[in-house]
Amino acid sequence: MSGRVITITSGKGGVGKTTTTANLAMSLASLEQRVVAIDADIGLRNLDLMMGLENRIVYDLVDVVEGRCKLKQAMVKHKDYPALALIPASQVRDKTAISPQDMITVANELKHAHDFVLIDSPAGIEWGFKNAVAPADEVLVVTNPEVSAVRDADRIIGLLEAEERPVPVRLIVNRIKLGMVRRGDMLSVEDVVSLLSIKLIGVVPDDEIIIKSSNEGVAATGRPKQAFEDIARRLMGEKVPFMNLDSNGGVLERFRKLFGGG
Amino acid sequence: MSGAIQFKGIRQGLLVTIPPDDEWAKVIADLAIRIDQQAAFFKGASLALDVDKRAVRRHELANLLNILQKRDVNLISVLSTSATTQGAARKLGLAIELVDPPTTTSHVPDALKITESPHEAPLLKSDVHGTEGLLIRRTLRSGQSVQHNGHVVVLGDVNAGSEIVAGGDIVVWGRLRGVVHAGAYGDETCVVCALDLQPTQLRIGALISVSPPSKKRRKHPERAYIDDGMIRAEPWTD
Ligand SMILES: Nc1ncnc2c1ncn2[C@@H]1O[C@H](COP(=O)(O)OP(=O)(O)OP(=O)(O)O)[C@@H](O)[C@H]1O
Ligand SMILES: [Mg+2]
């Protein structure tokens, strides 16, 4: 059975693509999936940092593409999850070192021995983004509940829909602060979903835990961990109800109904 | 949308018409908000302000000038039948009739130039039986643009950041949040209809109207059309 290639992208930078890729990869691995994560942000790599693998890197994606090593040699095995590996980005080369066709070749080769191939896309809509989405079977668009991030997500979704071979696109709303939503100071998840009119696959709270765990290169704990694990399960086809982020209850109840758990 | 400040692209720049009954302070504030919402659009533009019968005193006009200058918008002339206003304008070095821009570089913002130089297309009248239309069965997303000589019908949303320019009418079976221009060749009988009419900017013919910032509101179908030289919106019920 062949695995699925899933690209995590956003349009706007800094909304949490890398955080999402790292945590989803670790969640999927902890659910006994065989996972390989590819850092397609050439020149600005940091997926290795967030997965705590920086000091184990020998070869990178550009080395593979340019034939300096075998694909296997560039795969950095995760220290806690034997079924999880990372293919790091090159720190020194720029993104034009790789073409969409290269990405397709690499992803196709990885698909056979893995359940999930996750690709962390760079921000923007240029070359790097095109590389990252070229081999995708599915795309996850990450956004924040902010007008500018939503606008850029919309742009990306439009580009994906206009592809020759459109693939399913689902939405992750990251950094939701329910206190602010309740006071009407922040777009709610419902607002974002209604603006973008695509299927929601996950909601991740804004939480200091993420900053701490990212810095340490380990998986998030607490509620963020739960949120990523829920997304992982939904990717695996389970019907998981949306987490109630509102400790007073209620707010998320509505879109739990609306979206039926993804 | 009624009672709003109107902008019209003319050869001499942008003609601004203000609601007759609003207090001057409110007029200035509203104008500033409009400009700030679309700073790039207004930057460097030349304005002619039509205040009609209103008597505007010198310090009032000076306040306005000050606010426009801060936003890099040039007030060139003030049109009025009031002697007070004309006197005030003269003292501040403003013209009291329309003046052509000094050089060949037009001060009309780029976005408006379409009304000045129509495409090489036949003039379409939306009330003529059998005019052509384009049906779009998807949501228009940020960065996407549709241009068509006839009518444009969208079965989906028109999101903020997207744009439709139509020679005829624009009908949106969904939410309209982007920039739309109906009657782009100058047909002022054209209409724009949407199940939820919240455009970033709406133009019909040469008239422009900018939505006030959207508060949470119940969405309802509306139709925008030109009435008496102003863009108005009314419930779209029939
Ligand atoms: N849910 C969250 N709560 C708190 N902080 C977060 C959350 N998600 C992401 N962050 C923080 O936001 C910053 C940017 O995250 P990240 O690097 O994952 O974004 P990105 O989309 O990959 O950025 P880039 O476009 O630069 O690649 C990081 O410092 C991260 O710790
Ligand atoms: Mg990143």
Side-chain angles (χ1 to χ4, degrees):
Chain A
M1 204 193 83
S2 174
R4 290 144 71 195
V5 181
I6 300 179
T7 298
I8 292 94
T9 190
S10 69
K12 188 175 158 94
V15 298
K17 295 176 292 297
T18 304
T19 306
T20 300
T21 310
N23 279 282
L24 263 186
M26 293 186 273
S27 290
L28 284 165
S30 71
L31 294 166
E32 265 134 38
Q33 301 296 298
R34 296 163 303 166
V35 185
V36 57
I38 305 179
D39 190 345
D41 201 348
I42 313 292
L44 288 171
R45 75 172 194 213
N46 46 34
L47 186 57
D48 53 318
L49 287 173
M50 292 208 195
M51 290 172 67
L53 298 174
E54 189 196 16
N55 50 16
R56 304 188 178 200
I57 295 175
V58 181
Y59 295 109
D60 59 48
L61 186 58
V62 177
D63 292 324
V64 175
V65 165
E66 295 183 348
R68 277 187 295 276
C69 71
K70 296 245 165 52
L71 187 51
K72 265 231 145 53
Q73 292 175 285
M75 290 170 63
V76 186
K77 213 177 230 149
H78 196 276
K79 46 189 187 291
D80 302 330
Y81 310 98
L84 170 61
L86 164 76
I87 298 184
S90 164
Q91 186 82 282
V92 290
R93 299 296 298 275
D94 81 296
K95 51 198 172 295
T96 52
I98 289 182
S99 73
Q101 188 51 52
D102 293 332
M103 290 299 290
I104 294 172
T105 310
V106 168
N108 279 349
E109 196 175 334
L110 291 167
K111 253 169 132 161
H112 298 296
H114 295 88
D115 301 300
F116 288 95
V117 179
L118 302 185
I119 301 177
D120 180 20
S121 158
I125 56 174
E126 307 302 337
W127 189 255
F129 159 74
K130 287 179 185 141
N131 280 339
V133 298
D137 298 315
E138 293 164 51
V139 174
L140 304 182
V141 171
V142 182
T143 192
N144 295 154
E146 287 164 25
V147 173
S148 60
V150 171
R151 180 77 63 96
D152 291 353
D154 194 46
R155 181 88 202 268
I156 285 288
I157 297 164
L159 292 174
L160 293 167
E161 286 174 347
E163 287 278 306
E164 232 170 88
R165 180 187 57 100
V167 297
V169 181
R170 286 185 281 183
L171 182 71
I172 295 175
V173 183
N174 183 28
R175 307 200 75 155
I176 196 98
K177 294 187 188 179
L178 271 156
M180 284 186 74
V181 172
R182 239 178 280 134
R183 290 193 299 273
D185 295 335
M186 186 182 248
L187 294 174
S188 67
V189 174
E190 225 180 346
D191 292 335
V192 176
V193 171
S194 118
L195 281 164
L196 294 174
S197 46
I198 61 166
K199 234 177 181 328
L200 183 70
I201 189 169
V203 179
V204 183
D206 186 271
D207 200 315
E208 290 173 7
I209 288 175
I210 295 215
I211 297 168
K212 189 166 176 290
S213 61
S214 300
N215 285 339
E216 291 170 3
V218 298
T221 55
R223 284 180 155 194
K225 179 194 176 68
Q226 188 60 52
F228 288 119
E229 197 178 306
D230 287 354
I231 299 172
R233 288 184 187 280
R234 290 186 194 110
L235 279 176
M236 292 164 62
E238 278 181 46
K239 282 228 175 285
V240 186
F242 280 85
M243 190 199 290
N244 194 344
L245 292 171
D246 183 358
S247 41
N248 301 328
V251 173
L252 293 193
E253 209 52 51
R254 265 178 304 166
F255 60 89
R256 190 177 296 176
K257 284 195 200 103
L258 271 175
F259 303 103
Chain B
M1 296 176 109
S2 59
I5 300 174
Q6 297 279 339
F7 298 91
K8 182 174 178 170
I10 57 174
R11 188 160 45 88
Q12 294 85 354
L14 274 176
L15 178 65
V16 183
T17 311
I18 58 173
D21 305 320
D22 283 358
E23 270 177 45
W24 186 249
K26 181 173 184 306
V27 169
I28 294 188
D30 286 352
L31 193 56
I33 291 171
R34 290 292 195 79
I35 292 172
D36 291 343
Q37 279 171 345
Q38 291 193 288
F41 175 82
F42 284 104
K43 196 168 164 45
S46 298
L47 296 196
L49 182 71
D50 185 355
V51 301
D52 197 34
K53 294 194 286 279
R54 185 193 292 258
V56 185
R57 314 247 302 278
R58 182 173 160 179
H59 71 273
E60 293 177 320
L61 205 51
N63 277 346
L64 174 68
L65 259 179
N66 188 17
I67 276 167
L68 293 176
Q69 265 159 12
K70 276 193 195 134
R71 288 164 174 78
D72 201 13
V73 174
N74 313 310
L75 183 61
I76 305 293
S77 47
V78 179
L79 314 178
S80 175
T81 52
S82 149
T84 310
T85 308
Q86 291 182 355
R90 277 212 196 84
K91 284 199 191 104
L92 290 168
L94 301 171
I96 55 168
E97 67 284 320
L98 291 177
V99 218
D100 278 337
T103 60
T104 47
T105 50
S106 167
H107 288 247
V108 181
D110 280 345
L112 266 183
K113 280 182 182 152
I114 188 154
T115 58
E116 300 278 312
S117 56
H119 311 207
E120 326 248 325
L123 198 72
L124 277 175
K125 276 240 186 267
S126 58
D127 55 352
V128 175
H129 175 73
T131 47
E132 271 183 46
L134 177 72
L135 176 66
I136 297 168
R137 283 177 76 171
R138 63 184 167 90
T139 287
L140 284 187
R141 297 190 180 273
S142 177
Q144 298 179 334
S145 162
V146 168
Q147 303 191 359
H148 185 70
N149 291 334
H151 315 296
V152 174
V153 180
V154 181
L155 296 184
D157 295 340
V158 176
N159 286 355
S162 69
E163 172 197 66
I164 301 175
V165 179
D169 300 328
I170 296 172
V171 179
V172 178
W173 197 259
R175 286 176 295 235
L176 199 178
R177 293 201 169 94
V179 171
V180 291
H181 190 175
Y185 304 123
D187 183 352
E188 304 215 325
T189 66
C190 288
V191 296
V192 176
C193 308
L195 294 187
D196 186 20
L197 189 68
Q198 286 273 288
T200 311
Q201 191 190 92
L202 188 154
R203 302 184 212 160
I204 300 176
L207 293 189
I208 304 177
S209 156
V210 183
S211 280
S214 64
K215 285 270 167 313
K216 285 249 158 150
R217 41 169 229 129
R218 260 216 357 259
K219 65 175 185 181
H220 62 284
E222 280 186 298
R223 172 186 19 219
Y225 61 101
I226 294 184
D227 177 37
D228 199 14
M230 301 253 278
I231 295 180
R232 295 182 192 283
E234 62 175 19
W236 179 25
T237 46
D238 50 315

